[in-house]
Amino acid sequence: MLHPIRRSWCLAASCAVLLCFGRTSPESAVGPGRTGDASRGIEAARLMARSLVSIKALREARGLAIDRQVDPNQTALIGDEFSPLTTSLGEVEAKRTTTNPAFAAAIVRYFRAAGLHQGDVVAIGASGSFPGLLLATLCATRALDLEPVVIYSVGASMYGANLPGFTFVDMQARLRADGVLPYHLAAVSPGGDDDRGTGVLFDDSGASLIAETRRSGLQFVEGSTLADSIERRLHLYEAAAAGRPIRCFVNIGGSSASFGDTPASLTLPNGLVRRVTDLPRSPTRGVVFEFASRGVPVVHLLHVRGLARDNHLPFDPIPLPPIGVGEVYRRE
């Protein structure tokens, strides 16, 4: 069971996710229309659309039916309401919204606004809650020829990548095998409370998350405490960068290690954050604040309704809009 203070914080975070209203600071977040590259945005969106075809083929090959009531666009990215990997509450409409390939174009705009250039290293910390946003981010890095370093937490909120045997680990392996995205995940962790696999809605022991993480065969981020897990992640990012500077950190979802467990996490602006003026001092403030303290730009992807609004994208579109149509693709 969670400590009462931690449980109160988690409930507040869950409510914030359910509301999905992004909080954008004029000083630190870049909205739409400031920068962009239409051709690269379209390239990223097309790459995401191709990725969805590959992922759907994998899901069908594994006999995992797509519920058309839950996933009417048949993207194959929408998981179950509850599963052994479900760690928290979530809104299916928000999950569906992030399957729109136009989000890849939105991430291109954020990266351009952050001043990233070909070959720059981008550290990415993602939970299983929003596989669509992780996919969009990787498609954007590919379109801009950036170097992503991904640490993935298996735990997912409702309707995320929460199907045992079909997490983003499996999706990425299929995309690499199909020649769509060439990337490998740098490491995986179970996620859940303190990034240790506990706190799953129907498995307090965390056995399911730990087993799924080990099944991946990838490097396991295993810390004795949350602070230890955060420190290990920083070392992994630096090792993968091999002496090159990390130019941006992308946080996707609300994993304990990336997002931290301080109240500052709840007020972190949506989208591109160039600087954080009030950094928490706690050793469990999360990787996102560790990078912010170093002056590294952060792209914070969590509050989906706000992200959609800021990038002039539809919320829960059925069907998905055609690629190349909309303000997110315009270059100014």
Side-chain angles (χ1 to χ4, degrees), residues 13-97:
S14 296
C15 289
V17 172
L18 281 173
L19 288 173
C20 293
F21 282 100
R23 181 180 181 276
T24 304
S25 165
E27 292 184 349
S28 59
V30 172
R34 301 278 182 90
T35 186
D37 188 318
S39 62
R40 294 299 180 91
I42 290 174
E43 180 183 345
R46 287 174 175 166
L47 188 57
M48 183 166 171
R50 287 174 54 202
S51 299
L52 292 176
V53 173
S54 180
I55 290 170
K56 182 180 179 181
L58 174 63
R59 181 163 177 163
E60 291 174 340
R62 296 195 173 177
L64 300 171
I66 297 175
D67 185 342
R68 296 197 179 200
Q69 295 296 318
V70 175
D71 187 7
N73 293 319
Q74 299 185 65
T75 65
L77 290 182
I78 307 301
D80 289 342
E81 182 177 17
F82 298 110
S83 83
L85 308 183
T86 305
T87 57
S88 56
L89 304 179
E91 184 184 37
V92 69
E93 292 83 0
K95 305 302 171 75
R96 288 198 294 251
T97 300

Side-chain angles (χ1 to χ4, degrees), residues 18-22 91 94 270 303-310 315:
L18 281 173
L19 288 173
C20 293
F21 282 100
E91 184 184 37
N270 228 18
H303 305 293
V304 174
R305 192 181 295 272
L307 287 169
R309 180 194 62 224
D310 293 346
F315 187 77

Side-chain angles (χ1 to χ4, degrees), residues 53-247:
V53 173
S54 180
I55 290 170
K56 182 180 179 181
L58 174 63
R59 181 163 177 163
E60 291 174 340
R62 296 195 173 177
L64 300 171
I66 297 175
D67 185 342
R68 296 197 179 200
Q69 295 296 318
V70 175
D71 187 7
N73 293 319
Q74 299 185 65
T75 65
L77 290 182
I78 307 301
D80 289 342
E81 182 177 17
F82 298 110
S83 83
L85 308 183
T86 305
T87 57
S88 56
L89 304 179
E91 184 184 37
V92 69
E93 292 83 0
K95 305 302 171 75
R96 288 198 294 251
T97 300
T98 62
T99 65
N100 182 355
F103 265 99
I107 307 302
V108 165
R109 290 168 73 99
Y110 286 138
F111 285 161
R112 286 298 202 193
L116 302 186
H117 300 285
Q118 180 180 358
D120 282 347
V121 178
V122 177
I124 301 170
S127 72
S129 296
F130 293 100
L133 290 178
L134 178 51
L135 180 60
T137 300
L138 291 178
C139 291
T141 64
R142 184 64 171 165
L144 294 174
D145 200 17
L146 305 174
E147 297 291 333
V149 181
V150 182
I151 298 179
Y152 176 71
S153 298
V154 174
S157 56
M158 293 160 51
Y159 303 108
N162 63 3
L163 300 178
F166 190 68
T167 69
F168 198 83
V169 173
D170 305 278
M171 299 177 196
Q172 181 55 48
R174 178 58 177 257
L175 293 173
R176 186 174 61 254
D178 285 351
V180 182
L181 291 174
Y183 307 124
H184 294 262
L185 301 180
V188 293
S189 77
D193 292 343
D194 294 336
D195 203 30
R196 299 176 66 185
T198 57
V200 179
L201 292 181
F202 298 103
D203 181 13
D204 282 339
S205 71
S208 299
L209 278 179
I210 292 172
E212 190 68 23
T213 304
R214 295 198 183 282
R215 183 187 66 83
S216 72
L218 300 173
Q219 183 163 348
F220 193 121
V221 183
E222 190 172 19
S224 57
T225 64
L226 179 56
D228 186 32
S229 180
I230 292 168
E231 188 66 24
R232 288 173 184 265
R233 285 167 178 260
L234 291 171
H235 286 314
L236 284 168
Y237 285 128
E238 291 164 0
R244 295 170 294 171
I246 294 173
R247 297 296 189 187

